[in-house]
Amino acid sequence: MRTRISPRPARLAGVVAAGVLTAFAAIPTAQAATADSAVPAGTTVHFPGRPEVGALFDAPDYTGPDAAHFCTASVIASPRGDLVLTAAHCVYNASKKTYTHAAITFAPGYDEAPRADLGGVWNVERIDVSPGYLADGDTESDYAILVIAPQNGHEIQRYTGALLPTIATLPEPVQVVGYNNLEWDAQGNEAIECRALAFEETDDSEPYARFNCPNFQDGSSGGPWIVGGTNLVMGVIGGYEQGGDTPDWSYSALFGPSMLKFYLATAFGS
């Protein structure tokens, strides 16, 4: 039986590990390319996936044509080893002030089916939505952290490893991973990836990160933007237009000091 999700407020811990603060490098964002034509598009391909990245489900159908995942998420580092990162709009309806799913499961490294070597399917037991998105749906705060229940006395990070949130200088090469809904992609039960340049763009007078890659459809929201050649995650598909209104380019909220504070509160809070 799956655990019912109980949202909790984030609380700052009294002591924060200096190593994590150092790793989460608060580097000022550089001026990005100003012309879309100056930023080439990457190539989106299906691939076997990464162990830290998986699909979110709200029903126990994990294989075949009924495997209706709704978003993407990734395991992020924490002392307890039980956190995954996704987009806030995946789990919270800001206009209605309600959480969107009564129960959520996460399948790390999903590749047409849950992977037994990564623990199969894990239950989400708590949700932390960023304060800005929780208050008024601020698209610059479109990120959430989910707390994963242990299995057989072990936490998910032991099985998958983890990404570490960071504030990146833009423009920055990234690997973006996601899972499309089957409605839009016949191979949507397989992970997709694109390696491209993330750059800064201003929309509706607010700054966001953007990358140009085709075929990032519904279901890829929450997919991590992994800084090229590292285990650092600098964003998730979301933000402006909940990640974009075309599959040819996608957005993320810019990770900054507010995200750092939120992440540390959740990782080190009780």
Short mmCIF file of all heavy atoms in Angstrom, two decimals, residues 39-95:
data_model
loop_
_atom_site.label_atom_id
_atom_site.label_comp_id
_atom_site.label_asym_id
_atom_site.label_seq_id
_atom_site.Cartn_x
_atom_site.Cartn_y
_atom_site.Cartn_z
N VAL A 39 22.39 30.56 -30.83
CA VAL A 39 22.50 29.36 -29.99
C VAL A 39 21.98 28.17 -30.77
O VAL A 39 20.78 28.04 -31.00
CB VAL A 39 21.69 29.54 -28.68
CG1 VAL A 39 21.86 28.30 -27.81
CG2 VAL A 39 22.16 30.78 -27.94
N PRO A 40 22.87 27.27 -31.21
CA PRO A 40 22.41 26.14 -32.02
C PRO A 40 21.59 25.15 -31.19
O PRO A 40 21.76 25.03 -29.97
CB PRO A 40 23.73 25.50 -32.48
CG PRO A 40 24.72 25.90 -31.44
CD PRO A 40 24.32 27.28 -30.98
N ALA A 41 20.71 24.43 -31.86
CA ALA A 41 19.90 23.41 -31.20
C ALA A 41 20.70 22.12 -31.06
O ALA A 41 21.52 21.78 -31.92
CB ALA A 41 18.63 23.16 -31.99
N GLY A 42 20.45 21.42 -29.96
CA GLY A 42 21.05 20.11 -29.79
C GLY A 42 20.19 19.03 -30.44
O GLY A 42 19.14 19.30 -31.02
N THR A 43 20.65 17.79 -30.34
CA THR A 43 19.94 16.65 -30.90
C THR A 43 19.37 15.80 -29.76
O THR A 43 20.11 15.40 -28.86
CB THR A 43 20.87 15.78 -31.76
OG1 THR A 43 21.41 16.58 -32.82
CG2 THR A 43 20.14 14.59 -32.34
N THR A 44 18.08 15.56 -29.78
CA THR A 44 17.42 14.78 -28.74
C THR A 44 17.38 13.31 -29.16
O THR A 44 16.95 12.99 -30.27
CB THR A 44 15.99 15.28 -28.51
OG1 THR A 44 16.05 16.66 -28.13
CG2 THR A 44 15.30 14.50 -27.40
N VAL A 45 17.82 12.42 -28.28
CA VAL A 45 17.86 10.99 -28.59
C VAL A 45 17.30 10.19 -27.40
O VAL A 45 17.32 10.65 -26.26
CB VAL A 45 19.30 10.51 -28.88
CG1 VAL A 45 19.86 11.21 -30.11
CG2 VAL A 45 20.22 10.74 -27.67
N HIS A 46 16.78 8.99 -27.68
CA HIS A 46 16.43 8.06 -26.62
C HIS A 46 17.70 7.35 -26.17
O HIS A 46 18.60 7.07 -26.97
CB HIS A 46 15.39 7.06 -27.11
CG HIS A 46 14.03 7.65 -27.30
ND1 HIS A 46 13.66 8.29 -28.45
CD2 HIS A 46 12.96 7.71 -26.46
CE1 HIS A 46 12.40 8.72 -28.32
NE2 HIS A 46 11.97 8.38 -27.13
N PHE A 47 17.78 7.05 -24.89
CA PHE A 47 18.96 6.37 -24.37
C PHE A 47 18.54 5.56 -23.13
O PHE A 47 17.42 5.72 -22.64
CB PHE A 47 20.09 7.37 -24.08
CG PHE A 47 19.97 8.13 -22.78
CD1 PHE A 47 20.97 8.04 -21.81
CD2 PHE A 47 18.86 8.94 -22.51
CE1 PHE A 47 20.87 8.74 -20.61
CE2 PHE A 47 18.77 9.65 -21.32
CZ PHE A 47 19.79 9.54 -20.37
N PRO A 48 19.41 4.69 -22.59
CA PRO A 48 19.00 3.82 -21.48
C PRO A 48 18.73 4.53 -20.16
O PRO A 48 18.19 3.94 -19.23
CB PRO A 48 20.19 2.85 -21.34
CG PRO A 48 20.84 2.86 -22.67
CD PRO A 48 20.69 4.26 -23.18
N GLY A 49 19.09 5.81 -20.06
CA GLY A 49 18.80 6.57 -18.85
C GLY A 49 19.97 6.66 -17.90
O GLY A 49 21.04 6.08 -18.12
N ARG A 50 19.76 7.43 -16.83
CA ARG A 50 20.73 7.58 -15.76
C ARG A 50 20.11 7.07 -14.46
O ARG A 50 18.91 7.26 -14.24
CB ARG A 50 21.11 9.05 -15.57
CG ARG A 50 21.91 9.68 -16.68
CD ARG A 50 22.25 11.13 -16.35
NE ARG A 50 23.01 11.27 -15.13
CZ ARG A 50 24.17 11.92 -15.01
NH1 ARG A 50 24.70 12.49 -16.08
NH2 ARG A 50 24.78 12.02 -13.85
N PRO A 51 20.88 6.46 -13.56
CA PRO A 51 20.29 5.91 -12.33
C PRO A 51 19.68 6.96 -11.42
O PRO A 51 18.74 6.68 -10.68
CB PRO A 51 21.46 5.20 -11.65
CG PRO A 51 22.70 5.79 -12.27
CD PRO A 51 22.32 6.15 -13.67
N GLU A 52 20.22 8.21 -11.47
CA GLU A 52 19.70 9.25 -10.57
C GLU A 52 18.39 9.85 -11.07
O GLU A 52 17.71 10.56 -10.32
CB GLU A 52 20.71 10.39 -10.42
CG GLU A 52 22.15 9.98 -10.17
CD GLU A 52 22.96 9.96 -11.47
OE1 GLU A 52 22.39 9.56 -12.52
OE2 GLU A 52 24.14 10.33 -11.43
N VAL A 53 18.05 9.64 -12.34
CA VAL A 53 16.90 10.30 -12.96
C VAL A 53 15.82 9.26 -13.24
O VAL A 53 16.12 8.15 -13.69
CB VAL A 53 17.30 11.01 -14.26
CG1 VAL A 53 16.13 11.80 -14.82
CG2 VAL A 53 18.51 11.91 -14.03
N GLY A 54 14.56 9.62 -12.97
CA GLY A 54 13.50 8.66 -13.20
C GLY A 54 12.17 9.34 -13.48
O GLY A 54 12.08 10.57 -13.61
N ALA A 55 11.14 8.52 -13.57
CA ALA A 55 9.79 8.98 -13.89
C ALA A 55 8.90 8.96 -12.65
O ALA A 55 9.03 8.08 -11.80
CB ALA A 55 9.19 8.09 -14.98
N LEU A 56 8.00 9.94 -12.58
CA LEU A 56 7.01 10.02 -11.51
C LEU A 56 5.68 9.47 -12.01
O LEU A 56 5.23 9.81 -13.11
CB LEU A 56 6.83 11.47 -11.06
CG LEU A 56 8.03 12.15 -10.40
CD1 LEU A 56 7.73 13.62 -10.14
CD2 LEU A 56 8.41 11.45 -9.09
N PHE A 57 5.04 8.64 -11.19
CA PHE A 57 3.76 8.03 -11.52
C PHE A 57 2.73 8.35 -10.44
O PHE A 57 3.08 8.54 -9.27
CB PHE A 57 3.90 6.51 -11.61
CG PHE A 57 4.79 6.02 -12.72
CD1 PHE A 57 6.18 5.98 -12.57
CD2 PHE A 57 4.25 5.59 -13.92
CE1 PHE A 57 7.00 5.52 -13.58
CE2 PHE A 57 5.07 5.12 -14.95
CZ PHE A 57 6.44 5.09 -14.78
N ASP A 58 1.46 8.38 -10.83
CA ASP A 58 0.39 8.53 -9.84
C ASP A 58 -0.56 7.35 -9.86
O ASP A 58 -1.63 7.38 -9.26
CB ASP A 58 -0.39 9.83 -10.06
CG ASP A 58 -1.08 9.90 -11.41
OD1 ASP A 58 -0.96 8.94 -12.20
OD2 ASP A 58 -1.72 10.93 -11.68
N ALA A 59 -0.20 6.27 -10.57
CA ALA A 59 -0.99 5.05 -10.60
C ALA A 59 -0.02 3.88 -10.78
O ALA A 59 1.04 4.04 -11.37
CB ALA A 59 -2.01 5.08 -11.74
N PRO A 60 -0.37 2.70 -10.25
CA PRO A 60 0.57 1.57 -10.27
C PRO A 60 0.61 0.83 -11.60
O PRO A 60 0.57 -0.39 -11.65
CB PRO A 60 0.03 0.68 -9.15
CG PRO A 60 -1.43 0.93 -9.16
CD PRO A 60 -1.59 2.39 -9.47
N ASP A 61 0.72 1.57 -12.70
CA ASP A 61 0.92 0.98 -14.03
C ASP A 61 2.30 1.43 -14.50
O ASP A 61 2.49 2.58 -14.86
CB ASP A 61 -0.15 1.46 -15.01
CG ASP A 61 -1.53 0.96 -14.64
OD1 ASP A 61 -1.64 -0.22 -14.29
OD2 ASP A 61 -2.48 1.76 -14.70
N TYR A 62 3.25 0.49 -14.50
CA TYR A 62 4.63 0.86 -14.73
C TYR A 62 5.22 0.29 -16.02
O TYR A 62 6.37 0.55 -16.34
CB TYR A 62 5.50 0.39 -13.55
CG TYR A 62 5.01 0.93 -12.22
CD1 TYR A 62 4.60 0.07 -11.20
CD2 TYR A 62 4.93 2.30 -11.99
CE1 TYR A 62 4.15 0.55 -10.00
CE2 TYR A 62 4.47 2.80 -10.78
CZ TYR A 62 4.07 1.92 -9.79
OH TYR A 62 3.61 2.41 -8.59
N THR A 63 4.44 -0.49 -16.75
CA THR A 63 4.95 -1.06 -17.99
C THR A 63 3.86 -1.01 -19.06
O THR A 63 2.67 -0.91 -18.77
CB THR A 63 5.38 -2.53 -17.82
OG1 THR A 63 4.27 -3.31 -17.37
CG2 THR A 63 6.51 -2.63 -16.81
N GLY A 64 4.30 -1.06 -20.32
CA GLY A 64 3.36 -1.16 -21.42
C GLY A 64 2.61 0.12 -21.71
O GLY A 64 2.99 1.21 -21.25
N PRO A 65 1.50 0.01 -22.45
CA PRO A 65 0.78 1.21 -22.91
C PRO A 65 0.07 1.98 -21.81
O PRO A 65 -0.36 3.10 -22.04
CB PRO A 65 -0.22 0.63 -23.91
CG PRO A 65 -0.41 -0.79 -23.49
CD PRO A 65 0.92 -1.23 -22.97
N ASP A 66 -0.05 1.40 -20.60
CA ASP A 66 -0.71 2.11 -19.49
C ASP A 66 0.29 2.75 -18.54
O ASP A 66 -0.10 3.24 -17.47
CB ASP A 66 -1.61 1.14 -18.72
CG ASP A 66 -2.77 0.64 -19.56
OD1 ASP A 66 -3.28 1.43 -20.38
OD2 ASP A 66 -3.12 -0.54 -19.43
N ALA A 67 1.56 2.76 -18.90
CA ALA A 67 2.58 3.33 -18.02
C ALA A 67 2.56 4.86 -18.11
O ALA A 67 3.35 5.47 -18.82
CB ALA A 67 3.96 2.79 -18.40
N ALA A 68 1.62 5.46 -17.42
CA ALA A 68 1.34 6.89 -17.59
C ALA A 68 2.09 7.72 -16.54
O ALA A 68 1.50 8.21 -15.58
CB ALA A 68 -0.16 7.14 -17.50
N HIS A 69 3.39 7.85 -16.73
CA HIS A 69 4.11 8.77 -15.86
C HIS A 69 3.69 10.21 -16.20
O HIS A 69 3.23 10.50 -17.30
CB HIS A 69 5.62 8.60 -16.02
CG HIS A 69 6.11 8.75 -17.42
ND1 HIS A 69 6.18 7.71 -18.31
CD2 HIS A 69 6.55 9.82 -18.09
CE1 HIS A 69 6.63 8.13 -19.47
NE2 HIS A 69 6.87 9.43 -19.37
N PHE A 70 3.83 11.11 -15.23
CA PHE A 70 3.36 12.48 -15.47
C PHE A 70 4.47 13.51 -15.43
O PHE A 70 4.30 14.62 -15.92
CB PHE A 70 2.26 12.86 -14.48
CG PHE A 70 2.70 12.91 -13.03
CD1 PHE A 70 3.17 14.10 -12.48
CD2 PHE A 70 2.61 11.80 -12.23
CE1 PHE A 70 3.57 14.16 -11.15
CE2 PHE A 70 2.99 11.85 -10.88
CZ PHE A 70 3.48 13.04 -10.35
N CYS A 71 5.61 13.21 -14.85
CA CYS A 71 6.73 14.16 -14.79
C CYS A 71 8.01 13.39 -14.59
O CYS A 71 8.02 12.16 -14.45
CB CYS A 71 6.53 15.18 -13.66
SG CYS A 71 5.61 16.68 -14.13
N THR A 72 9.11 14.11 -14.56
CA THR A 72 10.45 13.56 -14.39
C THR A 72 11.05 14.14 -13.11
O THR A 72 10.70 15.24 -12.70
CB THR A 72 11.32 13.92 -15.61
OG1 THR A 72 10.70 13.43 -16.80
CG2 THR A 72 12.72 13.35 -15.51
N ALA A 73 11.94 13.40 -12.46
CA ALA A 73 12.59 13.86 -11.23
C ALA A 73 13.97 13.24 -11.12
O ALA A 73 14.30 12.31 -11.87
CB ALA A 73 11.74 13.50 -10.01
N SER A 74 14.79 13.74 -10.19
CA SER A 74 16.14 13.22 -10.03
C SER A 74 16.52 13.21 -8.55
O SER A 74 16.14 14.10 -7.78
CB SER A 74 17.15 14.06 -10.83
OG SER A 74 17.05 15.43 -10.50
N VAL A 75 17.29 12.20 -8.17
CA VAL A 75 17.77 12.08 -6.79
C VAL A 75 18.85 13.13 -6.56
O VAL A 75 19.76 13.29 -7.37
CB VAL A 75 18.34 10.68 -6.53
CG1 VAL A 75 18.82 10.55 -5.07
CG2 VAL A 75 17.29 9.60 -6.83
N ILE A 76 18.72 13.87 -5.45
CA ILE A 76 19.73 14.87 -5.09
C ILE A 76 20.34 14.55 -3.74
O ILE A 76 19.71 13.92 -2.89
CB ILE A 76 19.15 16.31 -5.10
CG1 ILE A 76 17.93 16.43 -4.18
CG2 ILE A 76 18.83 16.73 -6.52
CD1 ILE A 76 17.46 17.87 -4.00
N ALA A 77 21.58 14.98 -3.56
CA ALA A 77 22.36 14.61 -2.38
C ALA A 77 21.76 15.19 -1.11
O ALA A 77 21.31 16.34 -1.07
CB ALA A 77 23.79 15.10 -2.55
N SER A 78 21.77 14.38 -0.05
CA SER A 78 21.34 14.83 1.27
C SER A 78 21.92 13.91 2.32
O SER A 78 22.26 12.76 2.02
CB SER A 78 19.80 14.84 1.37
OG SER A 78 19.29 13.53 1.41
N PRO A 79 22.04 14.37 3.57
CA PRO A 79 22.57 13.49 4.61
C PRO A 79 21.75 12.22 4.80
O PRO A 79 22.29 11.15 5.07
CB PRO A 79 22.52 14.38 5.86
CG PRO A 79 22.56 15.77 5.35
CD PRO A 79 21.80 15.74 4.05
N ARG A 80 20.41 12.32 4.66
CA ARG A 80 19.56 11.15 4.84
C ARG A 80 19.51 10.29 3.58
O ARG A 80 19.15 9.11 3.65
CB ARG A 80 18.13 11.58 5.21
CG ARG A 80 18.03 12.28 6.56
CD ARG A 80 16.57 12.55 6.91
NE ARG A 80 15.88 13.33 5.87
CZ ARG A 80 15.85 14.66 5.82
NH1 ARG A 80 16.50 15.36 6.75
NH2 ARG A 80 15.20 15.29 4.86
N GLY A 81 19.78 10.88 2.43
CA GLY A 81 19.77 10.12 1.19
C GLY A 81 18.39 9.80 0.67
O GLY A 81 18.19 8.78 0.00
N ASP A 82 17.42 10.71 0.91
CA ASP A 82 16.03 10.38 0.59
C ASP A 82 15.30 11.44 -0.21
O ASP A 82 14.07 11.52 -0.16
CB ASP A 82 15.24 10.12 1.89
CG ASP A 82 15.21 11.33 2.83
OD1 ASP A 82 15.88 12.35 2.54
OD2 ASP A 82 14.51 11.25 3.85
N LEU A 83 16.02 12.28 -0.98
CA LEU A 83 15.39 13.41 -1.65
C LEU A 83 15.46 13.29 -3.17
O LEU A 83 16.46 12.85 -3.73
CB LEU A 83 16.07 14.72 -1.23
CG LEU A 83 16.08 15.05 0.25
CD1 LEU A 83 16.74 16.41 0.48
CD2 LEU A 83 14.68 15.03 0.84
N VAL A 84 14.38 13.72 -3.84
CA VAL A 84 14.40 13.89 -5.29
C VAL A 84 13.88 15.27 -5.63
O VAL A 84 13.05 15.84 -4.92
CB VAL A 84 13.59 12.80 -6.03
CG1 VAL A 84 14.11 11.41 -5.71
CG2 VAL A 84 12.11 12.90 -5.73
N LEU A 85 14.37 15.79 -6.75
CA LEU A 85 14.07 17.15 -7.20
C LEU A 85 13.19 17.08 -8.44
O LEU A 85 13.43 16.28 -9.35
CB LEU A 85 15.38 17.87 -7.52
CG LEU A 85 15.32 19.26 -8.15
CD1 LEU A 85 14.79 20.28 -7.14
CD2 LEU A 85 16.70 19.68 -8.65
N THR A 86 12.16 17.94 -8.50
CA THR A 86 11.32 18.04 -9.67
C THR A 86 10.82 19.47 -9.79
O THR A 86 11.24 20.36 -9.04
CB THR A 86 10.16 17.03 -9.60
OG1 THR A 86 9.50 16.97 -10.88
CG2 THR A 86 9.16 17.39 -8.52
N ALA A 87 9.92 19.72 -10.74
CA ALA A 87 9.31 21.04 -10.88
C ALA A 87 8.12 21.15 -9.94
O ALA A 87 7.35 20.19 -9.76
CB ALA A 87 8.86 21.25 -12.32
N ALA A 88 7.92 22.32 -9.36
CA ALA A 88 6.81 22.52 -8.43
C ALA A 88 5.47 22.33 -9.12
O ALA A 88 4.52 21.78 -8.53
CB ALA A 88 6.89 23.91 -7.80
N HIS A 89 5.36 22.76 -10.39
CA HIS A 89 4.06 22.64 -11.07
C HIS A 89 3.67 21.19 -11.31
O HIS A 89 2.50 20.90 -11.62
CB HIS A 89 4.06 23.44 -12.38
CG HIS A 89 4.79 22.80 -13.52
ND1 HIS A 89 6.06 23.15 -13.88
CD2 HIS A 89 4.41 21.82 -14.39
CE1 HIS A 89 6.45 22.43 -14.93
NE2 HIS A 89 5.46 21.62 -15.26
N CYS A 90 4.62 20.25 -11.16
CA CYS A 90 4.29 18.83 -11.28
C CYS A 90 3.46 18.32 -10.11
O CYS A 90 2.73 17.34 -10.26
CB CYS A 90 5.58 18.01 -11.36
SG CYS A 90 6.47 18.15 -12.92
N VAL A 91 3.59 18.96 -8.96
CA VAL A 91 2.97 18.41 -7.75
C VAL A 91 2.03 19.38 -7.05
O VAL A 91 1.35 18.99 -6.09
CB VAL A 91 4.06 17.96 -6.75
CG1 VAL A 91 4.87 16.79 -7.32
CG2 VAL A 91 5.00 19.11 -6.37
N TYR A 92 1.98 20.65 -7.51
CA TYR A 92 1.18 21.65 -6.81
C TYR A 92 0.50 22.57 -7.81
O TYR A 92 1.14 23.08 -8.73
CB TYR A 92 2.07 22.47 -5.87
CG TYR A 92 1.31 23.44 -4.99
CD1 TYR A 92 0.59 22.99 -3.90
CD2 TYR A 92 1.33 24.81 -5.25
CE1 TYR A 92 -0.11 23.88 -3.08
CE2 TYR A 92 0.64 25.71 -4.43
CZ TYR A 92 -0.07 25.22 -3.35
OH TYR A 92 -0.75 26.11 -2.54
N ASN A 93 -0.81 22.75 -7.64
CA ASN A 93 -1.58 23.68 -8.47
C ASN A 93 -1.66 25.01 -7.74
O ASN A 93 -2.40 25.15 -6.76
CB ASN A 93 -2.98 23.11 -8.71
CG ASN A 93 -3.79 23.95 -9.70
OD1 ASN A 93 -3.78 25.18 -9.63
ND2 ASN A 93 -4.49 23.30 -10.60
N ALA A 94 -0.87 25.98 -8.19
CA ALA A 94 -0.77 27.25 -7.48
C ALA A 94 -2.06 28.05 -7.52
O ALA A 94 -2.38 28.78 -6.58
CB ALA A 94 0.38 28.08 -8.05
N SER A 95 -2.82 27.96 -8.61
CA SER A 95 -4.06 28.73 -8.72
C SER A 95 -5.14 28.19 -7.78
O SER A 95 -5.94 28.95 -7.24
CB SER A 95 -4.57 28.75 -10.16
OG SER A 95 -4.86 27.44 -10.60
#
